[in-house]
Amino acid sequence: RPRHVVLENAHINGFTSVPVNVIADAAGHANIAWIATSTDGVTVKCGHDNGRVADDSAVNVHADTSCDA
């Protein structure tokens, strides 16, 4: 199946929940990937990850590493 962007270039304040829906495979799991960049204006930080989630999963997104990698 092709990948789809669910949320793009959104400004989200810390500790905010953003519900999204994804379609699971036959085993009840879905693949997700995320990329985040901080916008504090002093020291830009980045983060990214990907993985599989199941029903009612929570995914913690964070931007706490150098963007140089």
Side-chain angles (χ1 to χ4, degrees):
R1 293 181 182 168
R3 296 176 182 224
H4 296 281
V5 174
V6 177
L7 189 64
E8 183 175 21
N9 294 327
H11 181 103
I12 301 169
N13 293 324
F15 305 106
T16 299
S17 295
V18 179
V20 296
N21 292 315
V22 294
I23 297 173
D25 61 14
H29 294 88
N31 293 321
I32 64 158
W34 59 264
I35 299 170
T37 305
S38 67
T39 58
D40 68 6
V42 177
T43 306
V44 177
K45 298 286 186 174
C46 294
H48 63 88
D49 201 1
N50 60 56
R52 291 174 56 84
V53 295
D55 290 342
D56 296 327
S57 292
V59 176
N60 295 312
V61 175
H62 48 87
D64 56 4
T65 59
S66 170
C67 295
D68 296 333

